[in-house]
Amino acid sequence: MNSGAKERVLSGIQPTHESFHLGNYLGAIKQWVDLQNSNDAFYCVVDLHALTVETKPEDFRRRTLSSVAQLIALGLNPEKCTLFIQSHVPAHNQLAWVLECLTGFGEASRMTQFKDKSQKAGSDRTVVGLFTYPILQAADILLYQANKVPVGEDQRQHIELTRDLGQRFNSKFGETFTIPEGYILKAGAKINDLQDPTAKMSKSSASASGVIELMDSPEINTKKIKSAVTDTGRDVIFDEKEKPGVSNLLTIYSALTGKTIAQSQEDFTGKGYGDFKGAVAEVVVDYLNPVREKANELLEDETHLKKLLSIGAEKAEAVASKTLSDTYKALGMISRA
Ligand code: TYM
C-alpha cells in the first residue's frame, strides 16, 4: 500500500503515432503536468500496449522516443516526476499474468474498447493482446500503489476494472494494493473530432482532418480548425446537444486560454463562426509552436533522452519490484533462496 506522505499518481500513454493529439493533451497530459507538482507521480510510455497495433520496428522506435520528447516538451519535468518506458520494468508483465488469473473471461469481454475495436477488425484479425490489454493496464496502475489515475473519459471502464481486480485480490489474499480513483476532469475529458463533433478525437480516426496533431505545422493545424464542422445558426454558444461543433471548439479555446466557458463565449459575442474559428486556430497554433520546437530539439539528443529514461526506469523499478514481491508472497509463492 502507498504509505508515503504524498499521494501517488500513475498514468500511461501509447506511442502508436508520430504525434499525440489535442485530446490526449487536454484529456490527460495537461493534468499529468499539474499533478507532478504536489504528488509522487509516475508516468509511462506504454510501449507494450502499443504492440497490439502492428507497426514497423523503425517507426515504433521513433514514435516511442518522440512520445517521451513530446511529454517533456508539454511540461513533464523528469526531476519532479518519474518518467519511464513500460517495457523497461518487467514487473508490469509479471503482475499482469497474476491479474489475468483473477479476471473472468466474461468480465474482460465486456470492455467496450475491446468490443469496438474487435468488432471493427473482425475476430480473425483481432489479437489476444487486445483482449488482455485492460489487465496489463490494471497491472501498470496497481504496481505503483496509485491513488489517482489522470485519464480521459474513454478510460473510465478500465479504471473500474482495475479497482475491481485490486479489491478482489485484497479480499482473497490480504491487503496488498491501494485501490485507485480515476482523475477525470469534466473540462477536456472528451475532446471531439473536428469533422465529426459527436465522436471523440482519436488516433485511429478514419480521416486525419478532424484530428489536431501536436507535432503538425501551424499551416496544417490552422487549416483543420478553419474547416472544422460548425452547426446551424450563427451564434457562438456552448450547447453540446444542439451545437456540438461550436461547443467542442469552445472547450479547446477555454482549456488553452485558461478562461471559463462563459468568458470564452463572451469573447465572441456578436461575432460569426469565421472570426471564432480564426481565433481558436490562433490560440492552438501559438500554444503548440514552442511545444513542437522543444520536442524536435530534444529528439536531436537521443543519448540524453535515454539517460533520463534510464533514471526513470530505476526509480519505477524500485517501487514495482516491491509490490510484485508482496504480491507473490501474498499468493504463497516460494521466493528464490
Ligand atoms: P491512449 O494512448 O489511447 O490515450 C492517452 C490518454 O489520452 C486520453 N484521450 C482523450 N482525452 C480526451 N479526449 C479525447 N478525444 C481523448 N483521446 C484520448 C485517454 O483517455 C488517455 O488518458 N489505455 C490507455 C493507456 C494506458 C494507461 C495505463 C492509462 C496504459 N496503461 C495506466 C492510465 C493508466 C490508453 O489507451 O491511452
Side-chain angles (χ1 to χ4, degrees), residues 272-286:
Y273 287 163
D275 286 345
F276 170 50
K277 289 201 264 188
V280 177
E282 203 176 306
V283 164
V284 169
V285 161
D286 285 353

Side-chain angles (χ1 to χ4, degrees), residues 10-16 21-29 32 44 46 49 86 113 117 133 136-138 140-141 149-155 158-159 188-192 200-203:
L10 176 123
S11 200
I13 191 159
Q14 298 191 78
T16 40
H21 58 68
L22 205 52
N24 297 134
Y25 177 59
L26 296 178
I29 304 166
W32 299 13
C44 57
V46 292
H49 279 104
Q86 184 189 32
Q113 287 212 335
K117 288 186 184 168
Y133 178 114
L136 178 59
Q137 179 166 350
D140 297 340
I141 298 168
V149 187
V151 283
E153 182 59 46
D154 61 352
Q155 297 301 308
H158 291 169
I159 308 292
K190 185 169 176 244
I191 298 297
N192 287 336
K200 76 165 182 179
M201 190 177 281
S202 161
K203 292 171 193 168

